[in-house]
Amino acid sequence: MLNASTIRCLITAGPTREYIDPARYISSPSTGKMGFALAQAAVEQGWTVDLVAGPVALVEPEGSILYPVTSAEEMYHQVDALFDACDILIMAAAVSDFRPHKIHPKKVKKDKASISINCEPTIDILKTVSIRKEHQLVIGFAAESEDVEMYAHSKLIDKKCDWIVANDISKSGVGFATDTNEVVIFNSCGSKYELGPDTKQSVAKEIIKILKDSF
Ligand code: CTP
């Protein structure tokens, strides 16, 4: 049993931004509210919180340590640097899966631009770091719009997570850019909790309590 004051929790939040040129980027509608609510709830537990966040318009919870990043590559390097020291990793960020193959340093004029953008995959941060986990509890998120639990279960296994938090982003009031959420959190040992619909703050508190009790 770990003492609350010695638990270090690493949380990622918000979108990443993959620039095409200085005026355009690929991203997601994520606002970071769920990740920041988790950080607030973790601070309230007395945990030390490292919060790695993509571009968001939110103030970090008092007592957490904010590491602002922009791209998936930057988020990966920051998570990689903090992972060994953490006891819990919660990957709530909506990491962009693709980035332009080439970033233009100057704004591309529309009459010179190609209509298609050549993209390449970004690194899967969660999968890459969870391979080397030792004592860490690793929690992934799964944003799904169909067969939610089936796809979330595949991510739980594929990304070597201890828990997965699944949400159905096709429902209104759930997931991206809302103040509320409704999730299912489960592990591969058969524990499963359905949380919400409720505010992201309440759902976050319940998630943190489940994680605390699973130590
Ligand atoms: N994730 C990550 N690095 C990526 C993409 C996703 O670390 N390049 C993490 C997310 O933070 C989340 C989990 O992986 O915790 C699942 O993300 P999700 O977007 O639901 O799924 P993907 O793995 O991107 O797969 P798909 O988009 O095909 O559903």
Side-chain angles (χ1 to χ4, degrees):
M1 172 71 102
L2 284 167
N3 184 321
S5 63
T6 64
I7 293 179
R8 190 161 200 120
C9 184
L10 171 56
I11 299 175
T12 67
T16 66
R17 223 177 244 186
E18 314 301 328
Y19 274 95
I20 300 163
D21 69 16
R24 306 172 179 106
Y25 56 78
I26 298 170
S27 192
S28 84
S30 167
T31 55
K33 284 179 184 167
M34 193 64 217
F36 275 58
L38 285 161
Q40 176 71 52
V43 166
E44 284 167 13
Q45 281 296 331
W47 299 352
T48 300
V49 177
D50 293 313
L51 178 58
V52 178
V56 294
L58 297 172
V59 176
E60 72 273 25
E62 203 179 323
S64 65
I65 307 161
L66 179 70
Y67 301 85
V69 296
T70 301
S71 65
E73 186 72 15
E74 284 173 21
M75 185 173 279
Y76 166 65
H77 286 300
Q78 193 60 76
V79 169
D80 183 54
L82 294 166
F83 183 69
D84 290 341
C86 82
D87 301 297
I88 306 175
L89 167 66
I90 307 178
M91 278 293 308
V95 185
S96 176
D97 292 316
F98 306 100
R99 64 179 182 191
H101 185 60
K102 178 177 179 245
I103 304 175
H104 295 272
K106 300 220 166 103
K107 187 179 176 200
V108 180
K109 299 312 281 176
K110 63 185 171 199
D111 54 349
K112 305 243 167 53
S114 149
I115 298 297
S116 343
I117 301 163
N118 277 327
C119 286
E120 60 189 19
T122 56
I123 186 165
D124 191 315
I125 303 169
L126 176 55
K127 192 167 173 171
T128 306
V129 298
S130 73
I131 290 169
R132 66 169 210 262
K133 76 175 170 182
E134 290 173 346
H135 65 289
Q136 287 94 345
L137 200 63
V138 171
I139 298 91
F141 268 65
E144 310 295 346
S145 56
E146 58 181 335
D147 298 326
V148 176
E149 289 192 36
M150 190 268 286
Y151 282 124
H153 187 262
S154 303
K155 287 174 187 170
L156 174 80
I157 304 301
D158 181 46
K159 299 183 191 235
K160 298 199 170 12
C161 298
D162 298 291
W163 291 91
I164 194 97
V165 181
N167 55 15
D168 182 347
I169 56 168
S170 68
K171 284 189 186 172
S172 73
V174 177
F176 293 135
T178 61
D179 290 326
T180 54
N181 212 351
E182 183 179 358
V183 306
V184 182
I185 173 170
F186 59 92
N187 64 17
S188 53
C189 306
S191 297
K192 177 177 158 183
Y193 304 88
E194 293 178 8
L195 310 178
D198 209 334
T199 61
K200 286 188 171 171
Q201 283 75 15
S202 296
V203 172
K205 275 186 192 163
E206 290 188 69
I207 292 172
I208 294 297
K209 186 174 179 310
I210 290 164
L211 301 182
K212 180 180 147 244
D213 293 347
S214 79
F215 268 117

